[in-house]
Amino acid sequence: MSRGDAQPARALAKPAFSDPQASALVESVFGLKVSQIRPLPSYDDQNFHVRVAGAEGGPGGPCEYVLKISNAEASRTPELLQVQTHALLFLRAAGLPTASVCRSKGGGLTSLVSADGGSRVTSYVVRLLTYLPGIPVAEVPVGPPLLYEIGRLAANLDETLEKFHHPKLSCLHRENFIWNLRNVPLLEKHVDILGQGQNRELVVRVIQLFKDEVLTKLKHFRECLNHGDLNDHNILVESSKSACGDAAYQVSGILDFDDMSYGYYVFEAAITIMYMMIESKSPMHVGGHVLAGFESVIPLTPVERGALFLLVCSRFCQSLVMAAYSCQLHPENEEYLMITAKTGWKHLQQLFDLGQRAVEEIWFETARSYTSGLSM
């Protein structure tokens, strides 16, 4: 689920390749003969699930891939996409369940292709990734064990990225990137899309609280590289059997590194909590299970814990406001863009109705129960 910087030019720059055009790209750029292709849901990039004849994948090699065509605006900064691609490979080498990246016929991990849009020729960065097995978390019942594992995964990911180096790593300091939690105040120029009413008032309130109570504490947070989008469609799981024989799930894949940027450990924890709340039947308790998993790897400091509630609320606002904004630009993609909104407004309102102290009590007591052996 790739997203942009909230600029109209970027949102309108989504590629529009047909299935035959995408097939031709796979053959011309990567030298693979496509046997089947279908589009995958996406935000402002374009993704395709690609099958090639078994022999085309090489002896014992993969025969399923994901073709990623980055939007025109993102394609203007290929060095950023290169860093994200190398980070993906670094994580895979470190044992995390990320895709592998296929090299083009020219040997590159990314390729720039041009398409005639009628009035002008537009360039797009193209990548081909191996297809990861599994189903999105959004499609399975998510209980405490899986929430704990996902929290642990988020922390492991950030901790592993501490060792990642690249000559262009500084490009991940994305100052005006709308999806970095540091940039919640940038939502102010988009809140009018919500019209007048309770939702707008709630977002304006969160933004002001963020300015007053989070921005002033950033210097006390520990900085790191964030995946930045561990949502319920970017984490894949496979079924397994628990010790007692019940159906269970374990993480099998992490998708979409296009929102990577420099942030803080607590940002990753908050983003993961927010997205895991979306489909939960008990959303207010999600945070404690995810936090327990996260802190089993990286314990948060008291000041980071104190900001977690507002950071979760702020991520809800980012997702809800930008979904409404993008729907205005791309009404044909409304079903996909409004996934979070189906329950997001209700969850955000419930968080505020309960209040920070009550929510923290639920989260922190649940997380504490893991260390005392009382969880589940």
Side-chain angles (χ1 to χ4, degrees), residues 1-3 14 42-45 179 322-323 326 333 336-337:
M1 187 184 286
S2 176
R3 283 81 63 86
K14 182 171 181 174
S42 61
Y43 202 93
D44 62 358
D45 295 332
W179 291 102
M322 296 315 298
S326 296
N333 204 23
Y336 179 73
L337 292 170

Side-chain angles (χ1 to χ4, degrees), residues 109-156:
L109 295 174
T110 63
S111 300
L112 196 64
V113 301
S114 297
D116 189 349
S119 60
R120 62 175 181 173
V121 174
T122 306
S123 295
Y124 301 98
V125 170
V126 174
R127 290 170 287 174
L128 191 67
L129 311 180
T130 53
Y131 184 81
L132 292 174
I135 54 178
V137 166
E139 298 178 12
V140 304
V142 181
L146 183 55
L147 290 171
Y148 181 92
E149 183 185 352
I150 289 169
R152 187 173 177 84
L153 173 77
N156 274 327

Side-chain angles (χ1 to χ4, degrees), residues 147 150 230 266-278 283 286-291 294 300 308 312 316 363:
L147 290 171
I150 289 169
L230 288 175
V266 68
F267 281 11
E268 199 80 271
I271 291 168
T272 308
I273 289 171
M274 176 257 154
Y275 283 119
M276 292 305 106
M277 290 176 66
I278 295 299
V286 163
H289 301 293
V290 174
L291 181 62
F294 194 93
L300 297 182
L308 193 58
V312 171
F316 267 115
W363 289 353

Side-chain angles (χ1 to χ4, degrees), residues 257-373:
F257 285 75
D258 292 348
D259 281 4
M260 268 189 72
S261 64
Y262 271 101
Y264 304 91
Y265 288 116
V266 68
F267 281 11
E268 199 80 271
I271 291 168
T272 308
I273 289 171
M274 176 257 154
Y275 283 119
M276 292 305 106
M277 290 176 66
I278 295 299
E279 304 290 343
S280 175
K281 294 180 180 178
S282 184
M284 295 303 119
H285 290 82
V286 163
H289 301 293
V290 174
L291 181 62
F294 194 93
E295 291 196 313
S296 71
V297 179
I298 302 172
L300 297 182
T301 65
V303 69
E304 289 168 340
R305 270 191 161 211
L308 193 58
F309 172 83
L310 274 177
L311 288 171
V312 171
C313 293
S314 296
R315 184 54 167 204
F316 267 115
C317 290
Q318 284 181 316
S319 182
L320 293 165
V321 171
M322 296 315 298
Y325 171 78
S326 296
C327 272
Q328 187 180 64
L329 297 170
H330 296 290
E332 76 283 355
N333 204 23
E334 180 176 359
E335 182 178 356
Y336 179 73
L337 292 170
M338 297 302 285
I339 288 172
T340 300
K342 290 179 181 178
T343 58
W345 287 113
K346 180 179 67 175
H347 293 345
L348 179 59
Q349 186 64 57
Q350 188 177 0
L351 284 167
F352 262 78
D353 289 345
L354 284 172
Q356 180 169 348
R357 182 173 296 182
V359 173
E360 285 181 343
E361 185 176 342
I362 295 170
W363 289 353
F364 298 163
E365 182 59 35
T366 300
R368 193 179 304 117
S369 71
Y370 279 79
T371 60
S372 62

Side-chain angles (χ1 to χ4, degrees), residues 79 83 86 164-171:
E79 66 277 2
V83 171
H86 280 278
F164 174 62
H165 300 286
H166 190 278
K168 300 289 186 178
L169 195 59
S170 61
C171 71

